[in-house]
Amino acid sequence: MPLKALIFDVDGTLANTERDGHLVAFNLAFKELGLNWIWSSELYQKLLEVTGGQLRIKHYISKYQPDFKENLDDFAAEAHRLKTSIYVDLVSSEKIPLRPGVQRLLLDAKAAGLRLAIATTTTLANVNALIINTLGHQALGWFEVIGAGNVVENLKPAGDIYAWVLAKMSLPAEDCMAFEDSNNGLVSALAVNLPTLITVNEYTKTHKFAGSLAVLDNLGEPDAPFELISGAPTEAKYVDINYLKELYEKYY
Ligand code: XBP
Ligand code: MG
């Protein structure tokens, strides 16, 4: 089939790292810095509209801590460095699991000869830690390109990170499919014309996802079918290469 590569977002798509990793790490970093800022899950859902940890911290301060006196750029950089090291420790010790169907689909895709890549806003160290601690060190080699936030100037929802990954793979968008969990991620993938399959999570289930291939609750497993939230009706019960082919052929 003409579909040659799958490009995965990380946070919220491969694992529920926003809720179980990033949010926890931001709060621990603030505590370690002697600040009494505690981001609730409800607040974090709103803050997620701003992608990238440093930008999110700056946005939070401008909106919710107007009396904060330190230099914003310097503070955000330092707090973010601390947050990243806390996150990496957390992911390495607590083992945030992959979402349903992720490992199975990656293995199926590899066996089918599909090329794999990652396009994320988060820091490379975070991606590496998650992959190593869920799939093992060797799995880093499954992804021929890992595009992480700071290699491009404009983070999602800009299309820069997907454009960067496509250029590195020397593939046109029509040979690939993207996997995302959020509207910011979808807008980023669509900016470079990548057909995109959505799996929602608790933070993104209210997003609209206009232009996606389909919206599912998760990728599903043979004994735990996905729920089709929107998109063309299908006989598929879980996302496998056949279902991807079905989506891809309907799209083109
Ligand atoms: C992920 C993000 C990131 C993470 C935190 O978005 O927005 O900011 O929340 O990671 P996406 P960093 O899933 O769309 O790529 O703190 O390392 O930025
Ligand atoms: Mg995401």
Side-chain angles (χ1 to χ4, degrees):
M1 72 174 150
L3 178 61
K4 293 193 179 77
L6 309 182
I7 309 176
F8 289 85
D9 169 50
V10 174
D11 295 311
T13 299
L14 296 185
N16 278 321
T17 42
E18 292 295 7
R19 185 195 61 196
D20 301 337
H22 293 293
L23 173 59
V24 179
F26 278 115
N27 281 329
L28 286 171
F30 298 147
K31 194 171 172 197
E32 210 166 307
L33 290 166
L35 296 158
N36 64 353
W37 303 346
I38 299 172
W39 291 358
S40 66
S41 197
E42 292 69 33
L43 173 61
Y44 194 59
Q45 182 167 26
K46 293 190 195 124
L47 297 177
L48 279 172
E49 281 161 30
V50 177
T51 60
Q54 287 201 48
L55 292 177
R56 191 170 300 141
I57 291 169
K58 288 198 262 188
H59 165 74
Y60 167 75
I61 294 171
S62 320
K63 190 154 181 196
Y64 298 92
Q65 303 290 346
D67 299 331
F68 190 69
K69 291 284 173 282
E70 286 186 42
N71 176 287
L72 270 195
D73 288 331
D74 293 348
F75 172 80
E78 193 203 327
H80 190 253
R81 259 194 306 277
L82 180 58
K83 178 254 165 185
T84 298
S85 99
I86 293 171
Y87 177 91
V88 167
D89 284 351
L90 203 74
V91 165
S92 307
S93 60
E94 303 229 330
K95 286 214 183 219
I96 298 175
L98 296 177
R99 296 190 62 193
V102 169
Q103 180 165 1
R104 175 187 51 73
L105 182 62
L106 290 172
L107 289 168
D108 285 0
K110 251 164 49 73
L114 289 170
R115 294 162 64 185
L116 299 174
I118 279 175
T120 176
T121 296
T122 201
T123 312
L124 183 62
N126 297 343
V127 182
N128 290 342
L130 181 73
I131 290 174
I132 290 168
N133 287 284
T134 52
L135 294 167
H137 206 281
Q138 83 294 342
L140 286 176
W142 298 359
F143 300 94
E144 68 175 77
V145 175
I146 297 184
N150 48 6
V151 297
V152 290
E153 199 177 330
N154 304 302
L155 304 184
K156 297 175 187 176
D160 299 27
I161 193 68
Y162 278 105
W164 188 88
V165 168
L166 289 175
K168 286 268 172 201
M169 297 179 95
S170 300
L171 281 175
E174 60 264 29
D175 289 355
C176 308
M177 191 181 281
F179 293 75
E180 278 286 354
D181 70 303
S182 70
N183 198 56
N184 275 332
L186 173 65
V187 170
S188 172
L190 291 182
V192 294
N193 298 319
L194 275 167
T196 305
L197 179 61
I198 304 293
T199 49
V200 296
N201 55 59
E202 68 188 82
Y203 289 138
T204 65
K205 60 187 177 203
T206 54
H207 294 186
K208 296 286 175 257
F209 299 116
S212 66
L213 290 170
V215 180
L216 312 174
D217 61 341
N218 59 58
L219 296 175
E221 291 285 21
D223 59 352
F226 63 65
E227 181 197 339
L228 179 68
I229 297 168
S230 71
T234 179
E235 296 288 304
K237 299 279 181 268
Y238 56 96
V239 176
D240 60 3
I241 307 301
N242 284 336
Y243 180 57
L244 297 185
K245 201 171 160 184
E246 181 183 317
L247 287 171
Y248 184 82
E249 281 164 6
K250 275 196 189 111
Y251 185 79
Y252 286 108

